[in-house]
Structure formats: C-alpha cells, structure tokens
C-alpha cells in the first residue's frame, strides 16, 4: 500500500485547475463540493480526501488517485502517492501551477472585459498575450 504525500500549492480556483490538469494530460477530472476519499491502486478507500480528483484509471494502470483538497486559507493541497511521485514530482507540480496561472490569468482578463487577440510563446516558455478591451466595458 502506497503512502500519500501532501504537497502545498498556490492554486485557489477550481476552473483553472481543471483546465491545467487537462493541459498536463488529465482531461477527465471529478469536482466535488464536499471532499471525497481517494482510492489506492487496488481500489481501496484511503483516509485522504479531495475536492478535485483524477481517478487512478486515468493516471496509470498501477497508480493511485491524485487529489486536490481545499484548505481553510482557500488554497488546494495536492495528494500524490509515493508510487506516483516518480512522474508527479515537484517539476510536474511547477508545470501544473504554470498552466494554472495561465488559465487563471485568462479567466481574470475575461472578467475584466479583455479578449485575447494574440498569443506568443517565447523560447524560455514565457507566454505573451495581446489583449483587446471590449467596447463599452
């Protein structure tokens, strides 16, 4: 039985998190209002719970669920099993957080009346957005 490790994140919003998970290869995600138990590789219920869950069948054949549990301060902590940490390490989490930041920024800009009319990715991975403010905003 694999142990789950708790990883702190800067993630606060569900929609950009779900979009970021799709960007890193997990388009099938469960979102729950109340936290649900995570499952181990044998399908056993674990004590760890999460509000956003990637079920083990989408992670890998012998994998455990990956979960994101909302904390009292509004951020999500990630639950990742030791077995899955070889693929879902700090580098993976940084990539997920970068994609989260991208989607959260676009969501915020849209709420503020901006539309993205162009996007360029620099060699270092920096993304530059060209924006247009909607008329009458």
């Amino acid at each position: 039985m694999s142990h789950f490790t708790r990883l702190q994140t800067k993630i606060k919003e569900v929609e950009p998190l779900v979009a970021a998970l799709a960007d890193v290869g997990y388009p099938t995600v469960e979102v729950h209002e109340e936290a649900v138990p995570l499952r181990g590789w044998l399908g056993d219920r674990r004590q760890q719970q999460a509000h956003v869950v990637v079920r083990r069948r989408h992670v890998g054949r012998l994998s455990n669920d990956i979960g994101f549990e909302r904390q009292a301060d509004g951020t999500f902590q990630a639950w990742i099993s030791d077995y899955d940490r070889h693929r879902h390490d700090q580098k993976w989490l940084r990539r997920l957080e970068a994609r989260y930041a991208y989607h959260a920024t676009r969501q915020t800009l849209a709420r503020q009346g901006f539309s993205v009319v162009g996007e360029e990715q620099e060699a270092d991975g920096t993304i530059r957005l060209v924006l247009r403010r909607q008329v009458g905003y």
Side-chain angles (χ1 to χ4, degrees), residues 15-34:
E15 288 178 26
L17 171 57
V18 170
L21 285 165
D23 289 352
V24 298
Y26 299 114
T28 305
V29 176
E30 297 175 11
V31 177
H32 302 276
E33 197 66 33
E34 297 293 323

Side-chain angles (χ1 to χ4, degrees), residues 1-5 35-50 55-56 62-65 79-84:
M1 181 159 30
S2 230
H3 170 75
F4 277 85
T5 299
V36 298
L38 296 178
R39 302 245 174 216
W41 71 281
L42 292 172
D44 53 310
R45 287 172 59 125
R46 299 301 182 87
Q47 68 182 29
Q48 293 80 13
Q49 297 188 340
R55 291 293 178 194
R56 61 192 175 84
L62 297 175
S63 292
N64 301 274
D65 290 348
W79 287 110
I80 301 174
S81 74
D82 288 346
Y83 174 82
D84 295 311

Side-chain angles (χ1 to χ4, degrees), residues 53-68:
V53 180
V54 179
R55 291 293 178 194
R56 61 192 175 84
R57 69 180 166 272
H58 303 294
V59 179
R61 193 171 64 93
L62 297 175
S63 292
N64 301 274
D65 290 348
I66 294 175
F68 295 85

Side-chain angles (χ1 to χ4, degrees), residues 5-136:
T5 299
R6 174 188 332 205
L7 302 171
Q8 300 296 54
T9 75
K10 298 175 184 173
I11 296 170
K12 291 188 173 190
E13 303 284 332
V14 171
E15 288 178 26
L17 171 57
V18 170
L21 285 165
D23 289 352
V24 298
Y26 299 114
T28 305
V29 176
E30 297 175 11
V31 177
H32 302 276
E33 197 66 33
E34 297 293 323
V36 298
L38 296 178
R39 302 245 174 216
W41 71 281
L42 292 172
D44 53 310
R45 287 172 59 125
R46 299 301 182 87
Q47 68 182 29
Q48 293 80 13
Q49 297 188 340
H51 296 87
V52 178
V53 180
V54 179
R55 291 293 178 194
R56 61 192 175 84
R57 69 180 166 272
H58 303 294
V59 179
R61 193 171 64 93
L62 297 175
S63 292
N64 301 274
D65 290 348
I66 294 175
F68 295 85
E69 181 182 15
R70 186 173 295 283
Q71 301 301 290
D73 68 356
T75 61
F76 283 91
Q77 74 177 7
W79 287 110
I80 301 174
S81 74
D82 288 346
Y83 174 82
D84 295 311
R85 289 278 308 218
H86 70 281
R87 272 191 2 208
H88 302 91
D89 55 8
Q90 287 295 339
K91 183 178 177 181
W92 177 84
L93 190 59
R94 282 193 304 275
R95 183 169 165 236
L96 178 69
E97 286 181 326
R99 295 308 301 164
Y100 166 82
Y102 169 82
H103 289 290
T105 299
R106 288 194 61 143
Q107 184 180 56
T108 299
L109 289 168
R111 282 194 298 248
Q112 293 175 351
F114 290 94
S115 59
V116 176
V117 295
E119 182 176 312
E120 297 175 7
Q121 186 163 356
E122 305 288 326
D124 67 356
T126 302
I127 298 174
R128 297 197 184 280
L129 300 175
V130 179
L131 307 173
R132 179 174 294 140
R133 187 150 203 159
Q134 298 170 356
V135 178

